[in-house]
C-alpha cells in the first residue's frame, strides 16, 4: 500500500516532539536538536494543532505527556530508531566499500599496477576498485572517489594535484638502441612502433626532423601493446614518460630523447570537501609517489 505522505505532519514537528517526549524538557530537546527553546515549543504546538489534540502538559520545570502523547511518542520512538539504524548501516557500508578510481587502462597498467604492492603493504585492509576508461567521468554522478586525468590540471569544480610527467619521450630496448647517443640519421633508419592518427606524436617527430610517413613503422593503436613491442626490440616507441618510467628504471627500455614541457601531465583529481578515510589514505599514498 503506497504511503499517504500528505497525511503526515511535518517531519520537523515530529522530530521536535519525539526529542521532547524522550527528554521531558523543551530546553534539553532544544540543545540536542541545536535550535532554540522557543522553536521546539512552537513545533510541538504546531503538531498539536495539526492533530487537534493535546500531547504535552507542564510538569514542574519540564513537561509530561498526555495519553495521546504517550502513544505517539512510542510510535515515533520506534520509527526514528529504525531510521537511525538504516542510516548507520548505509554509512557503515559506505565506509567499507572499496576506493573507486577512474583512470586510463594504460596508466593503470604501466604506472599504477607496478606500485600498488607498496600501497597494500601499508594499507592491507583497504580495497580498491579501478575503472579503466578513456572517458572523463563525472565523479559525483559515477560515485568515484578519485580520478587520474591527463591534461593541464585546470578542470572546473574539482581539486587537481600533479602526479606524474606526461611529456613525450622516445624509448627503445637497449639491444636496439645500444649505449651511444643516437643522431637524427640513426633515428631515421631505425624501426618504430607508432600509434596511427596521433597528431601530438607526429608533431613531436616532425620537430626533430623526422617524417612519420617515411619511417619504417609498425602501427599499434594501444599504448600497452606498443610498449610491449618496444620491450621486445621491435622498434622505438613514442610515449608519455610516466608510462615507461618503470621500464627505464629497470633497464627494459632506454630513453633516446625527451621533450622539456612540464604540461600536460597526469593529475590526481577529487571533489572538494571531506573524503572517506580509505579515500584519504589512497590519496595520501598517491601524493607520496610524486
Amino acid at each position: 500500500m503506497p504511503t499517504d505522505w500528505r497525511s503526515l505532519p511535518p517531519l520537523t514537528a515530529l522530530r521536535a516532539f519525539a526529542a521532547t517526549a524522550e527528554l521531558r524538557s523543551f530546553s534539553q530537546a532544544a540543545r540536542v536538536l541545536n535550535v532554540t527553546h522557543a522553536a521546539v515549543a512552537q513545533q510541538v504546538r504546531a503538531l498539536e494543532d495539526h492533530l487537534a489534540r493535546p500531547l504535552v502538559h507542564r510538569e514542574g520545570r519540564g513537561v509530561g505527556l498526555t495519553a495521546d502523547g504517550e502513544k505517539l511518542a512510542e510510535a515515533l520512538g520506534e520509527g526514528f530508531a529504525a531510521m537511525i539504524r538504516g542510516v548507520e548501516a548505509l554509512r557503515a557500508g559506505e565506509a567499507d566499500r572499496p576506493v573507486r578510481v577512474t583512470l586510463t587502462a594504460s596508466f593503470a597498467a604501466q604506472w599504477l599496477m607496478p606500485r600498488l604492492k607498496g600501497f597494500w603493504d601499508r594499507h592491507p585492509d583497504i580495497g580498491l576498485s579501478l575503472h579503466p576508461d578513456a572517458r572523463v567521468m563525472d565523479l559525483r554522478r559515477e560515485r568515484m572517489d578519485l580520478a587520474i586525468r591527463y591534461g593541464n590540471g585546470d578542470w572546473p569544480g574539482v581539486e587537481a594535484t600533479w602526479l606524474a610527467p606526461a611529456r613525450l619521450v622516445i624509448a627503445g630496448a637497449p639491444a636496439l638502441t645500444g649505449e651511444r647517443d643516437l643522431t637524427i640519421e640513426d633515428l631515421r633508419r631505425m624501426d618504430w612502433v607508432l600509434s596511427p592518427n596521433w597528431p601530438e606524436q607526429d608533431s613531436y617527430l616532425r620537430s626533430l626532423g623526422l617524417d612519420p610517413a617515411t619511417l619504417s613503422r609498425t602501427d599499434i593503436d594501444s599504448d600497452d601493446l606498443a610498449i610491449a613491442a618496444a620491450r621486445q626490440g621491435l622498434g622505438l616507441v613514442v610515449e608519455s614518460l610516466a608510462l615507461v618510467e618503470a621500464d627505464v628504471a629497470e633497464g627494459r627500455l632506454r630513453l633516446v630523447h625527451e621533450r622539456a614541457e612540464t604540461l600536460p601531465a597526469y593529475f590526481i583529481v577529487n571533489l572538494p570537501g571531506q573524503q572517506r578515510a580509505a579515500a584519504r589514505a589512497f590519496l595520501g599514498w598517491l601524493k607520496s609517489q610524486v
Side-chain angles (χ1 to χ4, degrees), residues 78-121:
E78 295 174 358
F80 279 118
M83 291 169 62
I84 290 171
R85 287 194 300 270
V87 170
E88 288 178 346
L90 184 63
R91 284 175 174 164
E94 183 72 5
D96 293 341
R97 72 171 172 84
V99 179
R100 289 167 57 86
V101 185
T102 172
L103 71 176
T104 65
S106 298
F107 193 88
Q110 305 299 333
W111 190 94
L112 184 60
M113 296 307 296
R115 292 170 166 82
L116 268 186
K117 184 179 182 300
F119 173 73
W120 277 317
D121 285 345

Side-chain angles (χ1 to χ4, degrees), residues 166-219:
R167 63 180 177 273
L168 293 184
V169 300
I170 299 172
L176 177 68
T177 65
E179 296 300 325
R180 66 184 179 86
D181 292 338
L182 300 180
T183 67
I184 296 301
E185 284 304 317
D186 293 328
L187 298 180
R188 192 172 285 123
R189 289 193 299 266
M190 297 182 77
D191 292 328
W192 291 77
V193 180
L194 298 176
S195 298
N197 304 314
W198 186 14
E200 192 174 359
Q201 165 198 261
D202 293 350
S203 174
Y204 176 28
L205 293 174
R206 290 192 185 98
S207 73
L208 299 178
L210 299 170
D211 182 355
T214 63
L215 295 175
S216 174
R217 57 188 288 170
T218 299
D219 285 349

Side-chain angles (χ1 to χ4, degrees), residues 29-251:
R31 279 195 290 274
V32 299
L33 295 176
N34 197 30
V35 295
T36 65
H37 175 286
V40 172
Q42 183 179 2
Q43 289 289 346
V44 172
R45 284 195 297 271
L47 181 61
E48 290 177 321
D49 292 342
H50 183 93
L51 299 174
R53 65 194 66 199
L55 301 173
V56 300
H57 56 79
R58 288 284 181 185
E59 198 172 82
R61 294 188 176 182
V63 297
L65 302 182
T66 65
D68 288 333
E70 292 283 4
K71 291 178 183 177
L72 182 60
E74 182 179 358
L76 289 179
E78 295 174 358
F80 279 118
M83 291 169 62
I84 290 171
R85 287 194 300 270
V87 170
E88 288 178 346
L90 184 63
R91 284 175 174 164
E94 183 72 5
D96 293 341
R97 72 171 172 84
V99 179
R100 289 167 57 86
V101 185
T102 172
L103 71 176
T104 65
S106 298
F107 193 88
Q110 305 299 333
W111 190 94
L112 184 60
M113 296 307 296
R115 292 170 166 82
L116 268 186
K117 184 179 182 300
F119 173 73
W120 277 317
D121 285 345
R122 293 190 197 177
H123 304 281
D125 55 330
I126 295 179
L128 295 178
S129 179
L130 303 182
H131 297 261
D133 199 316
R135 296 176 301 144
V136 175
M137 290 189 179
D138 184 312
L139 300 185
R140 196 180 306 279
R141 186 176 64 242
E142 303 292 340
R143 297 183 66 232
M144 293 291 170
D145 293 293
L146 301 169
I148 297 175
R149 289 182 183 168
Y150 169 88
N152 293 333
D154 53 356
W155 302 283
V158 295
E159 296 176 352
T161 304
W162 193 94
L163 176 61
R167 63 180 177 273
L168 293 184
V169 300
I170 299 172
L176 177 68
T177 65
E179 296 300 325
R180 66 184 179 86
D181 292 338
L182 300 180
T183 67
I184 296 301
E185 284 304 317
D186 293 328
L187 298 180
R188 192 172 285 123
R189 289 193 299 266
M190 297 182 77
D191 292 328
W192 291 77
V193 180
L194 298 176
S195 298
N197 304 314
W198 186 14
E200 192 174 359
Q201 165 198 261
D202 293 350
S203 174
Y204 176 28
L205 293 174
R206 290 192 185 98
S207 73
L208 299 178
L210 299 170
D211 182 355
T214 63
L215 295 175
S216 174
R217 57 188 288 170
T218 299
D219 285 349
I220 300 180
D221 197 10
S222 162
D223 291 316
D224 297 336
L225 295 180
I227 293 170
R231 290 186 192 120
Q232 299 302 313
L234 300 183
L236 299 176
V237 69
V238 177
E239 278 296 346
S240 294
L241 177 57
L243 301 188
V244 297
E245 273 184 327
D247 286 296
V248 172
E250 295 171 17

